[in-house]
Amino acid sequence: MHENLIKGAIYGLAYGDAWGRITEFMPFGNMVPSIGFPDPAFVTDDTQMSLYAIGALMYEASMNPDALIGLHYDE
């Protein structure tokens, strides 16, 4: 597996969820374009579900490496 790609996905999802928690239910017009990273950054239910989904994909790939063929995106 591509460990760096997996780590990047996990960090990207967690950081995105932490930023998004602040604006998740705001109308688009009320969002400030230069919101800094929240301190503290909270783990949300979205973060937890993302981690479970990644864990399931990693488990499936470890049990059957061909199971995930065709699920990647190439430009």
Side-chain angles (χ1 to χ4, degrees), residues 52-63:
Y52 285 125
I54 290 170
L57 288 171
M58 291 174 64
Y59 173 79
E60 186 63 31
S62 72
M63 298 303 286

Side-chain angles (χ1 to χ4, degrees), residues 10-29:
I10 292 170
Y11 282 115
L13 288 165
Y15 289 151
D17 289 338
W19 266 308
R21 187 184 74 76
I22 298 168
T23 60
E24 185 172 7
F25 298 106
M26 283 184 184
F28 182 74

